[in-house]
Amino acid sequence: MNASEARLRIGFIPLADAAALIIAVDKGFAAAEGLDIELVREVSWSNVRDKLNIGLFDAAHLLAPVAIASSLGIGHVKVRIVAPFGLGVNGNAITVSPALYAAIAAAADGPIVDPMVSARALARVVAKRKVRGEEPLTFGMTFPFSTHNYHLRFWMAAGGVDPDEDVRLVVLPPPYMVDSLANGHVDGFCVGAPWNSVAVDLGVGFILHFVSEILLRAAEKVLAMRDRWAQEHPDTLLRLVRAHGRAATFIEEEANRDEVAAILAAPDRIGVASEVIRRTLDGRMKVAPDGTVRVNDRYLLVGRKGAARPDPAQAAWLYAQMVRWGQAPLSAEMLAAAKGVFRPDLYDAAIVTAEPTVSGEPADGIGAFAGPSFDPNTVAAHLDSWIIRRA
């Protein structure tokens, strides 16, 4: 290693939205920037967060809300995190057991591909179970400060289900979701690709909704590092962002998808069949064990539609969910700090062709299926519009 090279240790969870990180390393884009990166596969988000916070990782594939919560000192120690690159927009899905799928379909007053129809049907199922004295339905999500938690809550609450009173939400690491569903420990879950597809392929689950059907644009994972590290290694940071930008472009080229899927399928990377990963990248998802396919070109955005450029409005939306569900107080200072985690300025410094706006995207940057448009500057008014929320 010469003086211009930098050795980095970066943690990740085996998920499809780690693609840009894995491809940056395995296709040599990082090496071309003088970066020698060791990728460390982890199983839980708490491991990734803690190792990043104490400096065992220089950077990490991280849940966007965890980066915000760490910076605000909510739920754990306070460590300021910055996110100069978005690793994925969308990519989550809600999967339910065959029994719950049948119950929702039977209670629906329309096509359950409509998330409002399915949410109201879920409310009817929940009410019927209460009358019968049955145990509450249990749903898995990956972390209290996770998009999965907020996506489940947003969908349920829109249909009249209180996620804290009417059902149980439990934390499970992504790779354990499928076994938990198969064993009857949960009735459904929200997780990132490819684990929803794995459940369908095994015949133990139905994909009810892609998150892109609930929110047109939802920031999911970020490339995260400690703010102090970013300030101490500005050149390395820019090289790291450039390598990820090249990787994201490579992934989004359809001609490269088979090669990308094969690389991601390796046992020390994501460790599932390359065909499953290819379906994820294409947004062509088998949603039922009988082979029914649903296509959505927004299922997972890695680089296209401006997905890699961090959007502070997305950080504001995530902070608003923390406030809505009683995880954080509402304050102008915290809102500003949350927005400050997402750093489009660092992205733009590394990738000079960045375009601040992308045509065809939701006007409010979110595109939720229910509720008012989101204004990142008036979070209090947005929260006042919801009936189901915590004080």
Side-chain angles (χ1 to χ4, degrees), residues 39-358:
L39 292 183
V40 182
R41 175 173 157 151
E42 291 285 352
V43 73
S44 76
W45 290 114
S46 57
N47 281 0
V48 175
R49 175 199 62 190
D50 294 347
K51 289 183 179 181
L52 178 65
N53 283 351
I54 65 176
L56 292 179
F57 291 153
D58 299 293
H61 165 234
L62 195 64
L63 285 162
V66 172
I68 295 167
S70 287
S71 297
L72 300 181
I74 298 171
H76 199 54
V77 298
K78 183 175 183 178
V79 179
R80 288 188 61 192
I81 302 294
V82 295
F85 192 91
L87 289 173
V89 165
N90 304 336
N92 290 340
I94 296 172
T95 295
V96 296
S97 68
L100 181 54
Y101 184 86
I104 290 173
D109 56 8
I112 60 174
V113 71
D114 180 337
M116 185 58 81
V117 171
S118 66
R120 289 174 176 161
L122 178 66
R124 297 183 189 105
V125 172
V126 166
K128 186 176 293 186
R129 290 176 68 92
K130 281 186 178 181
V131 169
R132 293 174 176 170
E134 296 175 354
E135 287 287 319
L137 294 167
T138 301
F139 289 82
M141 47 84 174
T142 67
F143 205 65
F145 298 100
S146 73
T147 49
H148 318 85
N149 185 18
Y150 306 140
H151 296 163
L152 275 173
R153 288 171 175 271
F154 190 88
W155 167 65
M156 290 177 178
V161 175
D162 188 318
D164 292 311
E165 301 292 338
D166 299 330
V167 298
R168 294 179 64 231
L169 299 182
V170 298
V171 172
L172 292 169
Y176 298 167
M177 292 285 187
V178 177
D179 285 342
S180 297
L181 187 66
N183 292 327
H185 298 159
V186 298
D187 300 288
F189 57 69
C190 183
V191 74
W195 302 109
N196 299 283
S197 293
V198 172
V200 172
D201 286 348
L202 291 175
V204 300
F206 286 71
I207 294 178
L208 188 61
H209 293 299
F210 307 152
V211 73
S212 53
E213 296 161 351
I214 295 170
L215 305 164
L216 279 178
R217 192 174 182 89
E220 180 54 36
K221 308 299 189 312
V222 293
L223 177 67
M225 60 275 299
R226 298 179 308 284
D227 181 59
R228 179 177 176 180
W229 185 94
Q231 294 185 45
E232 292 174 349
H233 303 87
D235 179 63
T236 301
L237 183 150
L238 295 180
R239 286 188 280 161
L240 187 59
V241 171
R242 278 198 298 270
H244 278 71
R246 291 182 63 194
T249 298
F250 184 86
I251 291 164
E252 294 290 21
E253 288 289 337
E254 190 171 350
N256 299 329
R257 292 279 173 83
D258 282 341
E259 181 183 1
V260 169
I263 291 171
L264 298 182
D268 62 341
R269 295 313 189 216
I270 298 177
V272 301
S274 61
E275 186 269 335
V276 173
I277 296 172
R278 176 66 199 251
R279 274 189 266 150
T280 298
L281 297 174
D282 291 343
R284 184 176 295 275
M285 307 296 292
K286 186 165 71 172
V287 297
D290 67 2
T292 300
V293 171
R294 191 184 309 163
V295 179
N296 189 310
D297 66 358
R298 305 182 67 90
Y299 181 77
L300 172 62
L301 307 178
V302 177
R304 66 190 187 280
K305 298 183 183 293
R309 187 175 189 267
D311 181 0
Q314 291 280 340
W317 189 87
L318 291 169
Y319 169 66
Q321 307 318 300
M322 295 177 189
V323 176
R324 180 181 180 183
W325 301 115
Q327 293 178 321
L330 176 62
S331 76
E333 293 76 18
M334 280 195 162
L335 174 59
K339 290 181 183 178
V341 173
F342 281 33
R343 296 291 299 274
D345 59 314
L346 295 177
Y347 178 94
D348 292 346
I351 302 177
V352 295
T353 57
E355 296 182 9
T357 58
V358 180

